[in-house]
Amino acid sequence: MNRTKNLFLITAIGIVMLTPSTAYAHKLIPTDGSNISIDSSLEIPDPSISWAMYEEINGDIRYYSFYGKQGDPLYASIVIPKLENLIEFTPSIAFIGVESHLDLIEEFKILKPRTSFDFSLPQGYDAYVFDYDGIIPSKEFYEPFGQVTYWERQEINFDFPVDGTYYLAVFDENSTPGKYALAVGTIEDFSVYDFFTILPYAWFETKLFLNDYLSAVSAILILIGLLGVICLLYTSDAADE
């Protein structure tokens, strides 16, 4: 029985070792690069929950869809991994919806987005584009979950005018290739199940996204060693019975 308890204890410790602090962590939505049109947009289940999507573009565009409820806030931001070749990468973010609905957003008078959008839209829809117009290099922040430093770019924050389906699109006006992380929502919502599944997966995805293969391989070796110890304890416990 003691070995069984040790088995669970070692498993829990191993998961903790492989999963850094969840502070400021987003739930990761996996992407495969196929969200290149509104019809194939990547669905965000609840825009109030804190989500993150890692993407790479090369002269193309990525779309994201979600259902917004009137009066609920929308927060979205773009950050760029602090890699030397991305220091001047400044993709734009577009907010897309029914034209008559977008006209109701009072915050646009302050945010002053542009309305020129060079990609096709469904009839009756419009897009407001938010560019980054700050300094380069921009402000940095360290994200402890993924152990990554990012450059901050633009963010948008306003309330949904009416109930409906809306879209975000990210593209680069000059077709400059690069990587970005799109963050949506502010409410961190993690369950115990997430701690043992989604968060470790997200950590590995972060390392692969940044081409940090050394950290990923090191974590895999630790996991293999952990599984080896677990097998030994299980075998020894079974033999005693």
Side-chain angles (χ1 to χ4, degrees), residues 203 207 211-220:
W203 186 84
K207 296 306 174 183
N211 298 328
D212 184 4
Y213 302 116
L214 178 60
S215 295
V217 170
S218 298
I220 291 173

Side-chain angles (χ1 to χ4, degrees), residues 41-42 64 66 82 102 104 108 130 136 143 174 179 189 192 199 205 213 233 240-241:
S41 60
L42 182 68
Y64 312 87
F66 43 85
K82 188 182 177 183
L102 300 190
L104 300 175
F108 284 174
F130 300 84
I136 295 292
E143 200 276 292
N174 300 313
K179 296 182 177 183
D189 181 28
V192 174
L199 290 175
E205 282 293 304
Y213 302 116
L233 286 175
D240 289 344
E241 294 177 356

Side-chain angles (χ1 to χ4, degrees), residues 113-179:
R114 60 184 173 91
T115 55
S116 57
F117 185 69
D118 296 332
F119 301 89
S120 61
L121 291 171
Q123 186 175 1
Y125 279 69
D126 201 357
Y128 283 82
V129 179
F130 300 84
D131 301 312
Y132 178 73
D133 58 2
I135 62 172
I136 295 292
S138 58
K139 182 179 178 182
E140 300 176 8
F141 82 94
Y142 179 73
E143 200 276 292
F145 169 71
Q147 301 167 309
V148 180
T149 299
Y150 292 96
W151 283 305
E152 296 180 357
R153 296 296 194 249
Q154 67 272 41
E155 62 180 38
I156 58 177
N157 193 353
F158 49 81
D159 296 339
F160 291 108
V162 297
D163 293 358
T165 299
Y166 298 88
Y167 303 87
L168 292 174
V170 178
F171 62 97
D172 185 80
E173 192 73 17
N174 300 313
S175 299
T176 304
K179 296 182 177 183

Side-chain angles (χ1 to χ4, degrees), residues 14-156:
I15 295 295
V16 170
M17 290 175 62
L18 292 176
T19 307
S21 168
T22 60
Y24 307 110
H26 301 271
K27 280 189 173 182
L28 182 67
I29 300 181
T31 63
D32 59 8
S34 63
N35 50 321
I36 57 175
S37 68
I38 282 186
D39 292 337
S40 63
S41 60
L42 182 68
E43 182 179 359
I44 298 173
D46 181 349
S48 65
I49 301 299
S50 184
W51 303 97
M53 291 132 282
Y54 298 147
E55 297 275 24
E56 183 172 4
I57 54 176
N58 187 7
D60 48 1
I61 187 170
R62 297 290 182 271
Y63 289 89
Y64 312 87
S65 63
F66 43 85
Y67 188 84
K69 296 182 180 180
Q70 182 179 14
D72 284 355
L74 170 68
Y75 172 84
S77 66
I78 291 178
V79 295
I80 307 298
K82 188 182 177 183
L83 301 173
E84 189 62 31
N85 64 314
L86 298 178
I87 189 171
E88 295 186 356
F89 182 51
T90 56
S92 301
I93 180 170
F95 180 66
I96 303 169
V98 176
E99 183 177 5
S100 59
H101 296 170
L102 300 190
D103 291 340
L104 300 175
I105 301 178
E106 291 292 326
E107 289 89 344
F108 284 174
K109 296 178 182 178
I110 299 174
L111 297 172
K112 296 181 179 179
R114 60 184 173 91
T115 55
S116 57
F117 185 69
D118 296 332
F119 301 89
S120 61
L121 291 171
Q123 186 175 1
Y125 279 69
D126 201 357
Y128 283 82
V129 179
F130 300 84
D131 301 312
Y132 178 73
D133 58 2
I135 62 172
I136 295 292
S138 58
K139 182 179 178 182
E140 300 176 8
F141 82 94
Y142 179 73
E143 200 276 292
F145 169 71
Q147 301 167 309
V148 180
T149 299
Y150 292 96
W151 283 305
E152 296 180 357
R153 296 296 194 249
Q154 67 272 41
E155 62 180 38
I156 58 177

